[in-house]
């Protein structure tokens, strides 16, 4: 048990970085304070309070807008190297465009970044974590290609204002989920146009990403010396049976979800995955359409996207069984993919219906990315476990982290996957989007009955702090 090799297998390289993550709408509150504009979540949840399980919204959330100094101390106590948080676009640009620049919004993030840096922590900033200014939604949001240009303007303002201190930038968090806001899947802006709106959205997001990346590259990189990446959600797909059809369907699922966004940026040949272009085009023709519902990139856009990322951020939580079948609304991405998802009843559950504990899926998805995209630099930007009571004595969360981090170590040591960082989701309980405050992912508990939103460390915070301090998983 205590042989040197066993210890090496449980040890992270000295340069490996640990972090912890949040996102603006999930923690900040102060939704209309100091000149902040309305975003798509403010708008949706004010208009349709029943959209969330507990009629919750982010008006106050964890009140991090006023309590950021306390938050930074919580981060510090975890012994982590970086804090991943997002910037609320409409706090800085209330109308989405440059017509109004809100100085108080800039002040808030300047203060937060200064506080993070003063405590010896590196800021990792997500530029967009799902909270589009409502003013841009009025123009169609991400289905409008002009939104890519507004995004570039916004990103430029962030690089200019904060790039002296921020060296880690993430353009987008989980574009698959952003797109699901246009297929009626319980995400803002809740536009129901499956199989069309989601592909349009994804297309604009990809173009926006490449614009921001190249802007950084040409104008900021030489002086600021930071890195710009993008984050994907990546569940692992397991063929439901060993039939060739199910094996093919599981691979198709990977291409339709992760490959949709990763292939244009990280593959050798660029563009959307071949299987995706082919199937959406064939289905579109069958529906009598003149063009594929999946938009086309120009040759130039394909080249601008290829290689446009310094690292691949991965949010990983769970795995699915996949069988070959065509179900779901016509049209829809699900039907186009010809992959139907389920989960094994024997997999341990969590506080979230979709999150089952399948640690070995983590290793497999990492290997898949390593092989598909020729060994990119990977940062795990999210991994974590939910419960519904937010208990302090959260042994299930500890065992989740332990088993998943063990698989991560195997990916690094046995499979040679280039993972250089790991961030837990989340620093503290927060607004879990349409699930409200009931699904709790925090290393710290938040008391929503207390106006101070009191934060209390859970046992998992101590466990994680030890891993970050020692760079070792306890055996
Ligand atoms: C992350 O994405 C987010 O980045 C973060 O903000 C969030 O708090 C965290 O996860 C925890 O959820 O019900 O089968 O249709 C998670 C992506 C997208 C995963 C929606 C679950 C629903 C699957 N999530 N998905 S299903």
């Amino acid at each position: 048990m205590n042989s040197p090799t066993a210890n090496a297998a449980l040890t992270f390289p000295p340069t490996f970085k640990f972090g912890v993550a949040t996102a603006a709408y999930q923690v900040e509150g102060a939704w209309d304070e100091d000149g902040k504009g309305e975003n798509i979540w403010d708008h949706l949840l004010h208009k349709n309070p029943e959209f969330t399980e507990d009629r919750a919204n982010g008006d106050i959330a964890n009140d991090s807008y006023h309590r950021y100094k306390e938050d930074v101390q919580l981060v510090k106590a975890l012994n982590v190297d970086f804090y991943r948080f997002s910037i609320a676009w409409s706090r800085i640009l209330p109308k989405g465009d440059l017509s109004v620049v809100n100085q108080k919004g800039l002040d808030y993030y300047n203060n937060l970044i200064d506080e993070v840096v003063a405590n010896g922590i590196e800021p990792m900033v997500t530029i967009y974590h799902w909270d589009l200014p409502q003013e841009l939604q009025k123009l169609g949001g991400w289905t409008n290609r002009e939104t890519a240009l507004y995004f570039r303007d916004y990103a430029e303002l962030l690089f200019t204002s904060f790039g002296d201190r921020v060296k880690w930038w993430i353009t987008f968090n989980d574009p698959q989920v952003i797109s699901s806001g246009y297929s009626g899947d319980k995400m803002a802006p809740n536009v129901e146009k499956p199989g069309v709106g989601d592909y349009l959205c994804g297309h604009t997001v990809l173009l926006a990403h490449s614009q921001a990346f190249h802007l950084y590259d040409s104008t900021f990189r030489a002086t600021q010396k930071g890195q710009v990446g993008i984050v994907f959600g990546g569940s692992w797909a397991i063929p439901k049976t060993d039939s060739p059809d199910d094996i093919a369907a599981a691979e198709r699922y990977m291409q339709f979800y992760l490959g949709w966004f990763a292939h244009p940026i990280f593959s050798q040949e660029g563009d959307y995955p071949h299987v995706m272009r082919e199937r959406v085009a064939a289905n579109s023709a069958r529906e009598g359409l003149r063009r594929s519902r999946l938009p086309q990139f120009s040759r130039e856009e394909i080249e601008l996207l290829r290689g446009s990322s310094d690292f691949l951020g991965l949010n990983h939580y769970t795995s699915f069984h996949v069988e070959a079948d065509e179900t779901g609304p016509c049209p829809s991405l699900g039907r186009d993919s010809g992959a139907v998802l389920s989960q094994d009843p024997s997999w341990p559950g969590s506080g979230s219906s979709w999150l089952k504990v399948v640690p070995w899926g983590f290793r497999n998805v990492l290997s898949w990315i390593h092989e598909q995209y020729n060994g990119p630099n990977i940062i795990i930007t999210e991994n974590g476990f939910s419960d519904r009571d937010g208990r302090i004595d959260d042994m299930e969360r500890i065992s989740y982290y332990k088993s998943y981090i063990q698989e991560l170590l195997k990916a690094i040591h046995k499979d040679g996957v280039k993972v250089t960082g790991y961030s837990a989701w989340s620093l503290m309980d927060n607004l879990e989007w349409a699930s409200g405050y009931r699904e709790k992912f925090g290393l710290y508990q938040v008391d929503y009955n207390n106006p101070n939103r009191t934060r209390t460390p859970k046992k998992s915070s101590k466990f994680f702090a030890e891993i970050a301090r020692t760079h070792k998983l306890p055996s």
Side-chain angles (χ1 to χ4, degrees), residues 41 44-45 51-52 130 174-199 201 253 256-257 260 327-329 331-335 337 341 353-354 432-435:
W41 279 95
L44 176 68
L45 300 189
F51 194 84
T52 48
W130 308 353
D174 205 335
Q176 301 101 316
V177 172
I178 301 171
S179 301
S180 73
Y182 296 82
S183 57
D185 286 328
K186 291 293 272 178
M187 281 287 155
N190 198 33
V191 172
E192 297 195 33
K193 198 69 182 145
V196 180
D198 37 9
Y199 293 140
C201 166
Y253 168 85
F256 263 81
Y257 288 81
W260 178 11
T327 61
S332 64
L333 181 141
R335 178 172 287 273
S337 73
L341 303 185
S353 60
W354 53 273
E432 179 55 14
W433 308 108
S435 300

Side-chain angles (χ1 to χ4, degrees), residues 13-19 80-82 122 124 168 379-380 420-423 471:
T15 53
F16 194 89
K17 288 180 194 282
F18 286 95
V80 292
D81 305 284
F82 65 90
E122 298 174 51
M124 179 182 280
W168 299 96
I379 297 173
I380 307 305
T420 55
Y422 174 95
S423 171
H471 272 58

Side-chain angles (χ1 to χ4, degrees), residues 72 83 89 158 165 201 267 296 299 320 341 348 353 434:
V72 173
Y83 178 34
W89 188 337
L158 301 194
R165 289 151 291 158
C201 166
S267 72
Q296 262 189 15
R299 199 62 245 169
F320 291 94
L341 303 185
S353 60

Side-chain angles (χ1 to χ4, degrees), residues 22-23 26 84 129-130 173-174 176-177 180 185-187 231 233 235 315 317-318 320 341 343 352-355 382 384 386 425-426 430-433 435 439 441:
T22 60
Q26 296 180 275
R84 174 179 176 236
H129 200 124
W130 308 353
N173 180 67
D174 205 335
Q176 301 101 316
V177 172
S180 73
D185 286 328
K186 291 293 272 178
M187 281 287 155
V231 165
S235 301
N315 294 350
Y317 291 90
T318 196
F320 291 94
L341 303 185
Q343 287 179 309
S352 309
S353 60
W354 53 273
L355 203 177
E382 290 179 25
S386 64
W425 183 272
S426 178
N430 57 51
L431 179 72
E432 179 55 14
W433 308 108
S435 300
E439 292 180 19
F441 281 85

Side-chain angles (χ1 to χ4, degrees), residues 93-106:
L93 300 174
K95 293 182 183 294
D97 64 19
L98 293 171
S99 62
V100 181
V101 179
N102 182 29
Q103 186 56 45
K104 289 205 165 147
L106 289 171

